[in-house]
């Protein structure tokens, strides 16, 4: 998403958040303030370091004074390249190690051309790094916090992961506890009767990269088999009970990336399936007035 005019220090443009998320994903840490949407010294320092690494700036200790359109184009390009290290995703194949009890009864299988979407989820729990711990999860892919990609079902199997979006979609579960809206811990889903409330987790770079890699891989795999993936959705769009699924951080990092880079669509501001909820403005600044 390139910008038209330079963003000066102190800016609070929606693009600042995107640039911050891209910098973090690319390894230019923002340890103090994170992706807070404000263009401060920490972000400008990381951005300057990025420009030097790209040969777009002579090495210097001085921070840039603004983020420029050329700089954002370079960020977009580097960020897109993260997930396009080829379609050879490093997948841990667990498809033959469990009984596939999460398959749809009414429509267990589908032909490749019926696969048109990807749905992103957060687990809202901690499943962990052991592949066997994922066997009961009714979904095609699990992404661990360390960035392992675990495949549980064939793409041509229909799994019970996303209510009314099950039939056209491939599902990805991203392990962890994510706030519905970053910076608002009260939007983290909490199980009942916990003595100490959970605190939202961050989105580790390795896990974000793995999620982007598998989205690209799914798009390529479906295309190679005569279909075309055209959409990406948050689970929230197909279930009112999944308000925070997958949350703004995952959606902005992976969902918006897939729209900007792979040309996928989220269905638009009013799109829902069944009793789902629209994508809120807090997740996507285009959708002014859509409530969380
Ligand atoms: Zn979900």
């Amino acid at each position: 998403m390139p910008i038209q005019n330079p963003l000066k220090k102190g800016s609070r443009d929606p693009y600042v958040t995107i640039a911050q998320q891209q910098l973090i994903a690319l390894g230019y840490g923002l340890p103090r303030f994170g992706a807070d949407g404000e263009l401060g010294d920490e972000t400008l320092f990381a951005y300057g370091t990025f420009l030097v690494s790209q040969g777009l700036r002579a090495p210097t200790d001085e921070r840039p004074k603004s983020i420029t359109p050329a700089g954002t184009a370079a960020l977009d390009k580097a960020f897109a390249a993260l997930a396009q290290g080829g379609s050879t995703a490093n997948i841990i194949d667990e498809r033959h190690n469990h009984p596939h009890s999460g398959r749809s009864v009414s429509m267990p299988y589908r032909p490749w051309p019926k696969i048109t979407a990807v749905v992103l989820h957060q687990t809202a729990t901690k499943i962990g790094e052991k592949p066997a711990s994922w066997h009961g999860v009714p979904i095609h892919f699990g992404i661990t916090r360390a960035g392992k990609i675990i495949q549980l079902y064939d793409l041509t199997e229909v799994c019970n992961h996303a209510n009314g979006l099950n039939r056209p979609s491939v599902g990805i579960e991203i392990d962890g506890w994510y706030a519905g809206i970053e910076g608002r811990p009260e939007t983290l889903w909490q199980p009942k009767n916990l003595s100490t409330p959970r605190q939202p987790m961050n989105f580790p770079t390795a896990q974000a990269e793995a999620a982007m890699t598998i989205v690209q891989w799914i798009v390529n795999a479906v295309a190679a088999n005569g279909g075309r993936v055209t959409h990406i959705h948050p689970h929230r769009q197909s279930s009112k009970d999944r308000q925070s699924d997958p949350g703004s951080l995952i959606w902005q990092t992976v969902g918006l990336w897939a729209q900007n880079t792979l040309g996928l669509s989220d269905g638009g501001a009013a799109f829902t399936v069944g009793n789902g909820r629209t994508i809120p403005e807090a997740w996507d600044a285009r959708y002014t007035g859509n409530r969380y």
Side-chain angles (χ1 to χ4, degrees), residues 65-235:
K65 293 187 172 58
S66 62
I67 291 182
T68 64
T72 64
L75 269 177
D76 283 348
K77 195 173 158 210
F79 189 65
L82 264 186
Q84 288 175 338
S87 52
T88 51
N90 194 5
I91 295 173
I92 299 169
D93 187 358
E94 290 292 314
R95 285 176 293 171
H96 305 294
N97 298 332
H98 67 96
H100 290 230
S101 52
R103 201 157 52 205
S104 162
V105 173
S106 59
M107 191 205 232
Y109 300 97
R110 57 193 170 191
W112 284 96
K114 295 283 184 198
I115 306 172
T116 58
V118 170
V119 174
L120 299 179
H121 305 256
Q122 64 159 312
T123 59
T125 177
K126 279 193 287 193
I127 296 178
E129 299 299 321
K130 289 197 199 100
S133 305
W134 288 80
H135 287 173
V137 185
I139 200 157
H140 302 88
F141 294 97
I143 310 292
T144 73
R145 294 191 57 77
K148 289 180 195 156
I149 301 169
I150 297 167
Q151 184 170 9
L152 297 156
Y153 289 82
D154 289 322
L155 271 60
T156 50
E157 290 180 283
V158 176
C159 299
N160 296 319
H161 65 95
N163 309 81
L165 283 169
N166 289 340
R167 290 186 177 195
S169 75
V170 176
I172 302 172
E173 279 282 4
I174 296 170
D175 200 23
W177 308 335
Y178 295 92
I181 299 173
E182 275 305 288
R184 285 179 51 188
E186 76 279 11
T187 60
L188 174 66
W189 179 83
Q190 301 281 351
K192 289 195 178 74
N193 307 323
L194 275 190
S195 50
T196 315
R198 292 173 172 175
Q199 288 301 313
M201 293 178 175
N202 67 351
F203 191 18
T205 303
Q207 190 180 28
E209 284 179 15
M212 290 188 281
T213 297
I214 202 61
V215 171
Q216 173 83 67
W217 185 91
I218 291 163
V219 168
N220 292 349
V222 171
N225 286 282
R228 190 157 86 93
V229 174
T230 52
H231 284 73
I232 188 160
H233 300 289
H235 188 185

